[in-house]
Amino acid sequence: MKRRTAWTLLLTLVPLGGRAQDVDQAATSPDRARIARFVKMYCLDCHDRDVQSGGLALDALDPRSLVQESRIWEQVARKLATRRMPPADADRPSEPTYESAVRALTGLLDRAAALDPEPGRTETFRRLTRAEYQNAVRDLLALDVDATALLPADESSRGFDNQTVSDLSPMLLERYLAAARKISRLAAGRPGRSPDGDTFRIRPDITQEEHVAGLPLGTRGGALIAYTFPRDGEYEVELRLARDRNEHVEGLNAAHEVELLLDRERVALFKLAPPRSEHDHEIADRQLKTRIHATAGPHQIGATFLKRSSSLLETKRQPYQAHYNFHRHPRLSPALYQVSIVGPYHDRGPGDTPSRRRIFVRRPTSKDDEERCARLILGALMERAYRRPIDQADLEKPLDLFHQARAEEGFEAGIEAALSAVLASPYFLFRIEPDPPGLASGAVYRVPDVALASRLSFFLWSSIPDPELLDLAKQGALAKPQTLERQARRMLADPRSASLTTNFASQWLRLRNLDSITPDPRLFPDFDDNLRQAFRRETEMLFETVVREDRSVLDLIKPGSTFLNERLARHYGIAGVYGDRFRAVAMGADGVRGGLLRQGSILTVTSYATRTSPVIRGKWVLETLLGSPPPPPPANVPALKDNTVSSALSVRERLAEHRANAACASCHKIMDPVGFALENFDAVGRWRMFEEGKPIDASGGLSDGSTFAGPAGLERSILKRPELFIGALTEKLMTYALGRGVEEYDAPAIRRIVRAARDQGDRFSAIVVGIATSVPFQMRRAR
């Protein structure tokens, strides 16, 4: 048969030896003719739209050299590895034949890459993302700032927001300048011309009927706010209560008490009385205002309600957990709307703050000593801020500003002005990797140690290198593989590696999308922000555990246990979990939780507001977990119209419309069967056995021809060939680490990392070390 013959031709590559010259001989006669016939048979005979028009032009492949055509052969290798080629309805080879073909082809490609490494090229100028900027300020100045209030969000590409950050528009530059002025004043503790203020608003869909983590037991609702007071002095704190559309205070049907806390210590207690008139609603929270004394530096402000009895009235229906919407599930008790902090009044000085201790490492002993101290202070700050050794030219502009401000307002004002210039400098805002002088265009070179230190720190910490890493870079010690590996493992064990969860995993798994998702309240009335954040935390804790305990990355897929608090456990229907604290909960043999595919966060972001979407879920699994995204849809394909299909039909039956369309079938036959396996979970992740009164059919399959039923079957299929998931995760980590898309020439490095990780139990650290020591991470091609 033709297709069987084509596989036979491919298998002629297997006997080739391991010598370097075999790579050049791979496409010589008679192999060249055999490869040419194989290419033409697969392009012209399989009629696979994904192969013919999905960007893989096999009919144009020049068989004269496997090395020269490695880009296309890498695409062939990927399709063979994921069993997408030949199509499922064609005559397919046995699994051993597949494995032999993939091993032969990738072996040739890997040997070719070893002889002529292609590291690719990262951008010369890459601006810090908003998250990186916030972390860099924290590590440079020992100051926590909220960058979301200072800077706009970064655009995302290839799944991450550090891919398209090479520009700096005039408007964005103004935002950076304003942020630099505000941060430098706060860090230095300089007084403002008048009291300043900040307002913190609570999300309107937060239920405030139960205890909030971090606030005292015996309280309910409210908020805990991390706040840095700029100076010692008095601050006015004002609270506002949530109101409905009629401007009536919600839930204020009886007397309540509101507690204001500073670092968990009560500083004020207010009493609320139920309003008796419209005017009473207007003035109900007018007295929720007081002045407190606070020292400069980081503190926690808490505003909460003393909890009343939680006893419930007898009801025939299970009560909702969500209480925030006046019409559907009104608040049972008053709720906090916003907290405003204004000050300082009666300013008593800058105090002793972590940021001032970090900045003022020297104090002048006289007027003549101020220049020397300024140079020492700014030199230490600038070396860390610019992530490299500095020289006199770097110091000139900040020192000019220091001299101007010192002449008018004194030494500390001068340091503040110079620090503002440092924070607005392109050497701080951009990661700059220029080509070494004298290199020929296209030459491959090793990234200098100082730039490599920044690559490693922004990869693992989303922040600047610490002194230990920067010192090693200045000594040229990172060129030693053992030193680089030790540093990577040290940094993984550091608390700052939590950014891998909050920055990498939140984008890889699309947890950031949760904030913009609101399921239809008519269909899912029990959804609120409390549940949304519980979804997020469950997934974050799973990823954190794998990183912190250096477990196998396959534990992200395996069921068995999960992380729950009471709110999430009730949503899942799991008994015996109480309180707002998250804890690991073991699932029984028949449990339906544990692993990414069973978590509410993933199931919600891959659903519509009104129903599940096997298409989105299937595409998410293929793209995120298996590294095998389906081809883009053809042009002018109509969307599935729910309002033209009977609501009594299951989602599977509704999607039959697309699978019946020949233009749609090639994609949907790949995505839909994967998503169908998760149909036992509804659009907010609850387990169900029926849809519209009919039993759910959760049978599905993968493009390798395997079939299964339910999430357990899908998990077994993924774990049966773990190299696909590990390879997909490695690709995403490398994309994030390099700040550019992974290309075909990166595939040999990724395969090497996956093989090395397999020998180390697929541990997370093995993948990270593999990336840090890889050719794409350590090398670069000159422009």
Side-chain angles (χ1 to χ4, degrees), residues 17 23 66 101-113 751 755:
V23 176
L66 184 74
V102 173
R103 188 164 51 249
L105 183 55
T106 57
L108 287 169
L109 292 167
D110 290 348
R111 290 197 291 275
R751 287 191 290 267
R755 287 193 297 268

Side-chain angles (χ1 to χ4, degrees), residues 193-244:
R193 290 185 173 86
S194 62
D196 198 3
D198 294 285
T199 296
F200 302 89
R201 191 159 292 172
I202 315 303
R203 282 189 64 124
D205 58 345
I206 290 181
T207 297
Q208 299 189 35
E209 303 299 333
E210 298 297 336
H211 179 254
V212 173
L215 291 173
L217 296 177
T219 64
R220 61 139 195 102
L224 184 65
I225 300 166
Y227 188 74
T228 299
F229 291 95
R231 308 266 294 178
D232 288 355
E234 289 186 0
Y235 292 83
E236 184 175 89
V237 181
E238 182 176 12
L239 312 180
R240 292 277 291 168
L241 300 178
R243 287 170 164 78
D244 61 25

Side-chain angles (χ1 to χ4, degrees), residues 83 100 110 115 133 166 199 232 274 290 297 351 432 562 578 637 728 747 769:
R83 308 302 189 253
S100 296
D110 290 348
L115 293 173
Y133 181 90
S166 57
T199 296
D232 288 355
T290 189
I432 304 174
T562 192
Y578 301 101
V637 175
V769 170

Side-chain angles (χ1 to χ4, degrees), residues 585-769:
V585 179
M587 300 289 106
D590 57 346
V592 298
R593 299 297 166 181
L596 291 175
L597 292 173
R598 302 163 181 252
Q599 295 190 342
S601 60
I602 306 303
L603 297 163
T604 301
V605 298
T606 55
S607 295
Y608 291 121
T610 57
R611 62 168 175 85
T612 61
S613 175
V615 178
I616 298 177
R617 287 179 175 178
K619 182 177 183 293
W620 184 90
V621 171
L622 292 171
E623 188 173 75
T624 306
L625 303 185
L626 297 178
S628 178
N636 303 320
V637 175
L640 182 64
K641 297 181 178 60
D642 284 346
N643 58 355
T644 64
V645 182
S646 172
S647 61
L649 296 178
S650 67
V651 172
R652 179 186 287 266
E653 292 168 325
R654 298 181 203 182
L655 287 174
E657 176 186 331
H658 270 179
R659 293 195 301 277
N661 186 329
C664 306
S666 59
C667 295
H668 281 270
K669 69 182 180 182
I670 298 172
M671 297 182 292
D672 294 4
V674 180
F676 286 144
L678 302 175
E679 273 298 278
N680 281 121
F681 297 105
D682 71 7
V684 292
R686 294 176 301 194
W687 182 261
R688 60 183 182 170
M689 297 297 293
F690 298 90
E691 181 185 13
E692 301 295 340
K694 300 178 182 178
I696 288 177
D697 179 4
S699 58
L702 291 172
S703 56
D704 61 3
S706 62
T707 58
F708 43 77
L714 176 56
E715 289 161 346
R716 284 193 295 270
S717 292
I718 293 174
L719 295 172
K720 183 179 178 181
R721 300 184 59 223
E723 70 277 3
L724 293 182
F725 171 67
I726 299 170
L729 173 57
T730 303
E731 283 189 14
K732 295 296 185 181
L733 277 166
M734 186 169 283
T735 299
Y736 175 77
L738 296 177
R740 66 165 174 82
V742 169
E743 305 293 345
E744 285 81 5
Y745 50 73
D746 296 311
I750 291 171
R751 287 191 290 267
R752 177 180 174 274
I753 294 168
V754 172
R755 287 193 297 268
R758 292 294 289 167
D759 294 337
Q760 300 178 54
D762 301 319
R763 295 184 181 278
F764 187 82
S765 65
I767 297 176
V768 167
V769 170

Side-chain angles (χ1 to χ4, degrees), residues 333-442:
S333 308
L336 188 65
Y337 172 65
Q338 72 178 26
V339 179
S340 299
I341 305 172
V342 180
Y345 299 98
H346 306 297
D347 189 334
R348 294 170 183 166
D352 181 25
T353 66
S355 60
R356 284 178 59 81
R357 291 194 293 271
R358 178 68 59 84
I359 295 170
F360 296 106
V361 292
R362 296 287 189 279
R363 288 287 179 179
T365 57
S366 64
K367 195 75 173 177
D368 296 337
D369 193 36
E370 290 182 348
E371 173 83 13
R372 181 187 69 86
C373 285
R375 286 180 175 275
L376 292 172
I377 289 171
L378 294 176
L381 288 173
M382 291 172 66
E383 182 169 288
R384 287 207 66 196
Y386 297 173
R387 288 91 66 184
R388 59 170 174 78
I390 62 166
D391 53 27
Q392 181 59 35
D394 292 315
L395 281 167
E396 284 182 3
K397 183 62 177 178
L399 280 175
D400 286 344
L401 293 172
F402 165 77
H403 292 143
Q404 295 172 23
R406 181 188 62 169
E408 296 177 3
E409 299 182 71
F411 177 77
E412 291 194 0
I415 294 297
E416 178 198 332
L419 177 58
S420 180
V422 171
L423 295 179
S425 167
Y427 296 112
F428 175 68
L429 297 179
F430 284 85
R431 294 168 56 188
I432 304 174
E433 291 187 2
D435 292 330
L439 275 183
S441 177

